[in-house]
Amino acid sequence: KAGVTQTPRYLIKTRGQQVTLSCSPISGHRSVSWYQQTPGQGLQFLFEYFSETQRNKGNFPGRFSGRQFSNSRSEMNVSTLELGDSALYLCASRGGPGETQYFGPGTRLLVL
Amino acid sequence: ELKVEQNPLFLSMQEGKNYTIYCNYSTTSDRLYWYRQDPGKSLESLFVLLSNGAVKQEGRLMASLDTKARLSTLHITAAVHDLSATYFCAVEVEGTDKLIFGTGTRLQVFP
């Protein structure tokens, strides 16, 4: 069974640009969550989606948005990039209650 | 608001020794996870603990959960160099898939 996949793996952008990251969960998983990891703030929750509905959102500005498609794939978008958005963005999926949440390899974003 | 405290932040230990990482959390939860992260890599799932008194073991790692004390431990037995990594505990907010992570424990095992 293939794991969680994320694309692209690396991105370099400049301030003010926008970026879209993609996440494909494990086949059959309908729950997808996104996290941001930085050396200063650690791992912070961004969003949680289930069956195309955003169920929870973390304490991030409105520049951060996301969506989930009918095939459970998810995207997150960051507009008007700031230097502080440089981070590793991780996506996780889970199949059902009692299962662990599996993380993808991450997208490393560098904002110059 | 759920808060997760993990200690120690850094652990340098000799091969063959035993040690324990602690994870305390502030409000009730019925799921706690342990993950491992190697430098530059993603999070690898180690354990998910679902109920009070749960204990799981894999190789030299053993995790336990005490929901009444809101405490989980990750015990390392006879450490080997391959265990060098950063270990995170994460607590699930009840009724959601949202994880609140601890700060991580950077483990370094030396000969």
Side-chain angles (χ1 to χ4, degrees):
Chain A
K1 204 176 201 183
V4 180
T5 58
Q6 292 186 246
T7 56
R9 295 292 309 279
Y10 304 93
L11 265 180
I12 299 176
K13 293 284 187 179
T14 56
R15 279 180 298 173
Q17 288 188 307
Q18 74 165 22
V19 67
T20 299
L21 312 182
S22 180
C23 170
S24 292
I26 292 171
S27 178
H29 287 193
R30 294 159 65 190
S31 167
V32 173
S33 300
W34 289 88
Y35 294 83
Q36 181 197 63
Q37 185 176 28
T38 59
Q41 300 298 318
L43 282 150
Q44 294 186 286
F45 170 79
L46 281 157
F47 324 98
E48 173 198 341
Y49 288 91
F50 183 83
S51 293
E52 301 179 67
T53 300
Q54 186 181 91
R55 296 201 296 190
N56 285 285
K57 188 177 191 299
N59 294 326
F60 280 82
R63 301 184 296 106
F64 291 80
S65 62
R67 58 179 176 168
Q68 186 180 34
F69 301 95
S70 58
N71 62 357
S72 295
R73 188 178 70 86
S74 178
E75 287 181 349
M76 66 165 281
N77 184 275
V78 188
S79 62
T80 320
L81 284 166
E82 300 177 0
L83 296 179
D85 298 333
S86 295
L88 179 65
Y89 291 87
L90 294 164
C91 163
S93 78
R94 186 166 83 174
E99 288 194 34
T100 191
Q101 295 197 34
Y102 296 95
F103 281 81
T107 295
R108 191 167 295 278
L109 172 65
L110 176 62
V111 182
L112 301 175
Chain B
E1 184 184 334
L2 175 59
K3 293 191 188 303
V4 179
E5 289 186 1
Q6 190 176 336
N7 63 83
L9 293 182
F10 184 76
L11 180 55
S12 182
M13 54 190 298
Q14 195 171 16
E15 280 188 332
K17 299 292 187 183
N18 305 331
Y19 209 81
T20 300
I21 299 171
Y22 297 87
C23 177
N24 288 91
Y25 54 100
S26 60
T27 64
T28 57
S29 173
D30 50 11
R31 268 189 201 94
L32 188 140
Y33 302 78
W34 284 96
Y35 289 93
R36 167 183 171 146
Q37 187 175 41
D38 291 294
K41 304 289 187 182
S42 184
L43 298 170
E44 175 191 352
S45 176
L46 295 174
F47 304 106
V48 54
L49 303 169
L50 301 177
S51 60
N52 189 44
V55 177
K56 290 195 175 179
Q57 183 162 4
E58 180 74 33
R60 301 176 188 272
L61 301 177
M62 183 174 71
S64 66
L65 178 62
D66 181 343
T67 58
K68 291 178 181 158
R70 296 178 189 160
L71 170 68
S72 179
T73 61
L74 180 67
H75 186 73
I76 302 154
T77 302
V80 292
H81 179 71
D82 284 352
L83 290 179
S84 297
T86 299
Y87 293 84
F88 290 93
C89 67
V91 180
E92 195 169 273
V93 176
E94 281 191 322
T96 77
D97 283 354
K98 175 179 177 179
L99 296 179
I100 306 297
F101 281 85
T103 50
T105 296
R106 187 174 169 195
L107 172 65
Q108 188 172 37
V109 181
F110 60 91

